[in-house]
């Protein structure tokens, strides 16, 4: 009988080291591999990258307006009576004897050729448009970089969360197996009269609770695996991922709270994009003001003019310099300037709100770090203490000096201590990583 108890005790001491083969994942995945997969296939990150590419193309599109537009044009006319094919010109009268009746008249006419328009003054539409496009491109690129850092942080956090759940599941499974052995031992002892039936029932009650915990941990593991796979841009494998532990206490950041806030306000991509958004609104206001300025366009036309009555087509060309001075548009430009003023004030408020949000995130990250470090230290102590208390209570029960309630409580504390250790370790690592993320110091921080 003592041999059975010793076997149960040995199982309890090794509870956190035993990995049930059925619970092991099928596809190995290190943290570095997870990061690379996310960078290559995460849909949100790919969308951010493509938006940056599109913004760069828009900048080229806007700059191309400086070169004007060259179009191929064609017109077919059918009039109610004969009309002159080309505008009146001195060259049409080089042979005076022909008279007006011999000029190129026809009711069916075809005109086709090239037109080119170049804006010389566009009421701010050119230079302000260029500035707005470049700022929009820069803002989109900063958001893409921030999205990259955010995805990497989320992958690391999800990876660690999956590890926490895996260790809880493994410890719970070992705890359940140990209780199964304890239950079998208790039933034998009841049969020989060495244990009261009520104490055996207590073991069975604890076993049912352990089974419920294992089921809960298993569901949490599936959820964590699915979330990690989604961040990687793929479906979770049938057997899940086989994750590798990330051992070691991370180095604590040495920067002060003030330095962390300064770094975040100077380097955060989302904040930089917000500031560039404010600059865009400022240039839109300039554009609204310049709508009161004149516009100047240079236009050139080269046409071939043909009609059934003509023996040979007539070619014409024209250059025109057109100026437009806006005088009255129903006060729409005045309202546009007032709208731009309101939008600018709103943009500045959004920028201020974003700065406060970033500073708050830094303060939150520092608080998380302090809390996680304390949790990790507590987990270390609970782990060792839980194992020792479980060992002592089992010896006392084996020797007949202990109580079943104390033994079962100690086993539960052992399980709690093991899960607390891993939760504290990965929470501490995650807090260091989060501080690096919110201060823009750790897109690739490990």
């Amino acid at each position: 009988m003592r041999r059975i108890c010793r076997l149960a005790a040995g199982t309890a001491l090794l509870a956190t080291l035993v990995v049930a083969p059925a619970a092991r994942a099928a596809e190995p995945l290190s943290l570095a591999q997870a990061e690379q997969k996310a960078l290559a296939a995460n849909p949100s990150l790919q969308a951010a990258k493509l938006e940056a590419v599109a913004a760069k193309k828009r900048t080229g599109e806007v700059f191309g307006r400086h070169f004007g537009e060259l179009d191929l044009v064609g017109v077919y006319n059918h009039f109610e009576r004969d009309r002159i094919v080309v505008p009146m010109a001195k060259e049409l009268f080089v042979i005076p004897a022909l008279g007006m009746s011999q000029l190129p008249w026809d009711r069916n006419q075809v005109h086709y050729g090239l037109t080119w328009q170049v804006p010389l003054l566009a009421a701010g539409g050119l230079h302000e448009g260029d500035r707005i496009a470049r700022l929009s491109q820069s803002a989109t690129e900063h958001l893409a970089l921030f999205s990259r850092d955010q995805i990497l942080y989320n992958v690391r956090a999800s990876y660690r969360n999956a590890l926490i759940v895996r260790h809880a599941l493994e410890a719970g499974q070992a705890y359940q197996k140990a209780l199964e052995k304890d239950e079998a031992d208790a039933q034998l002892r009841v049969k020989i009269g060495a244990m009261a039936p009520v104490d055996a029932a207590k073991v069975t009650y604890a076993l049912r609770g352990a089974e419920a915990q294992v089921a809960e941990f298993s569901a949490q593991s599936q959820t964590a695996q699915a979330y990690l796979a989604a961040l990687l841009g793929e479906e979770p494998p049938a057997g899940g991922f086989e994750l590798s532990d990330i051992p070691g206490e991370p180095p604590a950041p040495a920067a002060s709270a003030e330095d962390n806030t300064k770094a975040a306000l100077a380097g955060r991509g989302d904040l930089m994009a917000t500031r560039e958004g404010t600059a865009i609104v400022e240039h839109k206001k300039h554009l609204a003001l310049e709508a009161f300025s004149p516009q100047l366009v240079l236009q050139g036309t080269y046409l071939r003019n043909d009609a059934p009555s003509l023996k040979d087509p007539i070619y014409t060309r024209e250059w025109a310099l057109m100026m437009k001075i806006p005088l009255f548009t129903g006060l729409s430009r005045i309202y546009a300037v007032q709208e731009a003023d309101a939008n600018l004030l709103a943009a500045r408020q959004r920028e201020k709100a974003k700065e406060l949000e970033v500073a708050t995130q830094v303060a939150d990250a520092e608080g998380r770090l302090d809390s996680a470090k304390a949790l990790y230290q507590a987990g270390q102590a609970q782990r060792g203490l839980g194992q020792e208390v479980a060992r002592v209570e089992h010896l006392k029960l084996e020797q007949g000096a202990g109580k079943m309630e104390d033994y079962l409580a100690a086993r539960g504390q052992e399980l709690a201590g093991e899960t607390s250790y891993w939760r504290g370790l990965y929470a501490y690592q995650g807090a260091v990583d989060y501080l690096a993320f919110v201060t823009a110091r750790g897109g690739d921080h490990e």
Side-chain angles (χ1 to χ4, degrees):
M1 192 61 60
R2 290 186 176 182
R3 184 179 179 184
I4 295 175
C5 291
R6 290 193 188 97
L7 181 59
T11 304
L13 291 173
L14 296 175
T16 58
L17 301 178
V18 176
V19 180
R24 293 302 297 270
E27 181 178 320
L29 181 70
S30 68
L31 179 57
Q33 290 172 332
E35 292 173 349
Q36 292 303 317
K37 282 190 173 186
L39 291 176
N42 181 272
S44 298
L45 181 56
Q46 301 311 307
K49 290 179 179 178
L50 291 173
E51 287 172 357
V53 172
K56 184 176 181 179
K57 300 304 180 183
R58 281 196 299 271
T59 301
E61 173 191 354
V62 172
F63 184 75
R65 298 174 186 173
H66 289 272
F67 303 101
E69 298 179 3
L70 179 65
D71 299 307
L72 179 64
V73 297
V75 179
Y76 170 77
N77 298 118
H78 175 74
F79 301 107
E80 78 284 355
R81 57 180 63 88
D82 289 345
R83 297 187 183 184
I84 193 166
V85 176
V86 295
M88 294 288 290
K90 182 178 180 180
E91 286 74 13
L92 297 178
F93 298 95
V94 292
I95 305 178
L98 292 178
M100 289 288 293
S101 62
Q102 299 302 314
L103 293 179
W105 303 90
D106 209 305
R107 65 185 304 182
N108 297 298
Q109 301 178 11
V110 177
H111 312 270
Y112 58 91
L114 298 173
T115 64
W116 182 39
Q117 287 189 347
V118 182
L120 302 180
L121 292 175
L126 293 177
H127 60 278
E128 293 296 343
D130 289 344
R131 293 171 182 172
I132 291 172
R134 286 194 297 268
L135 284 168
S136 178
Q137 177 187 342
S138 179
T140 308
E141 290 171 349
H142 280 127
L143 285 177
L145 291 175
F146 178 76
S147 178
R148 176 184 182 275
D149 290 350
Q150 190 173 42
I151 292 299
L152 286 175
Y153 167 73
N154 288 337
V155 167
R156 293 164 186 156
S158 177
Y159 192 96
R160 292 188 179 99
N161 185 56
L163 284 173
I164 291 172
V165 177
R166 189 196 74 181
H167 280 289
L169 177 60
E170 291 173 355
Q173 289 171 335
Y175 177 48
Q176 177 184 336
K177 287 190 174 183
L179 286 177
E180 289 171 353
K181 295 181 182 296
D182 289 340
E183 183 187 40
D185 178 45
Q187 295 298 331
L188 289 174
R189 297 181 71 178
V190 168
K191 287 181 180 180
I192 64 175
M195 178 180 287
V198 67
D199 287 333
K202 293 174 183 177
V203 177
T204 301
Y205 180 81
L207 177 58
R208 297 289 90 80
E211 291 171 348
Q213 278 187 310
V214 168
E216 181 181 358
F217 290 149
S218 180
Q220 292 176 358
S221 178
Q222 292 178 4
T223 301
Q225 291 265 346
Y227 184 66
L228 177 60
L231 287 172
L232 305 185
E234 60 185 51
E235 295 291 332
F241 295 111
E242 182 180 350
L243 308 180
S244 302
D245 276 320
I246 312 170
E249 179 179 331
S256 65
E258 183 180 358
D259 290 338
N260 285 332
T261 302
K262 287 181 179 179
L265 293 176
R268 280 276 293 268
D270 55 338
L271 178 55
M272 296 173 71
T274 302
R275 288 169 176 164
E276 286 163 338
T278 302
I280 289 174
V281 177
E282 289 177 345
H283 286 291
K284 286 184 177 179
K285 178 183 177 180
H286 297 163
L287 192 60
L289 290 172
E290 292 191 18
F292 293 90
S293 303
Q295 300 180 34
L296 186 64
V297 177
L298 175 64
Q299 178 175 314
T301 305
Y302 182 79
L303 294 177
R304 170 176 170 147
N305 308 276
D306 204 352
S309 61
L310 296 180
K311 181 179 179 182
D312 296 312
I314 301 174
Y315 294 91
T316 57
R317 60 182 181 273
E318 175 186 359
W319 290 99
L321 190 62
M322 295 176 288
M323 175 173 284
K324 176 182 176 182
I325 301 177
L327 297 178
F328 179 73
T329 56
L331 303 180
S332 62
R333 287 170 295 171
I334 296 176
Y335 288 123
V337 172
Q338 293 174 348
E339 177 190 2
D341 284 332
N343 287 334
L344 182 55
L345 291 175
R348 288 171 178 167
Q349 290 300 315
R350 284 193 297 269
E351 182 179 335
K352 182 179 179 180
K354 190 64 178 180
E355 290 175 348
L356 293 173
E357 176 188 340
V358 169
T360 302
Q361 289 176 346
V362 173
D364 175 55
E366 291 170 346
R368 286 193 196 186
L369 184 59
D370 293 338
S371 175
K373 186 174 183 179
L375 181 64
Y376 171 58
Q377 293 171 345
Q380 286 179 307
Q382 289 175 340
R383 187 190 198 192
L385 183 60
Q387 291 174 351
E388 181 61 19
V389 170
R391 184 187 69 81
V392 171
E393 289 297 332
H394 189 274
L395 289 175
K396 290 169 62 178
L397 185 66
E398 185 182 26
Q399 296 169 2
K403 296 181 179 180
M404 181 59 70
E405 292 88 345
D406 295 337
Y407 169 66
L408 294 175
R411 294 297 299 274
Q413 291 171 359
E414 182 185 24
L415 173 62
E418 183 66 22
T419 55
S420 294
Y421 168 76
W422 291 107
R423 185 180 297 110
L425 173 62
Y426 291 133
Y428 188 29
Q429 292 179 357
V432 173
D433 203 26
Y434 181 66
L435 180 60
F437 164 63
V438 300
T439 56
R441 286 172 169 161
D444 297 315
H445 176 75
E446 186 58 42

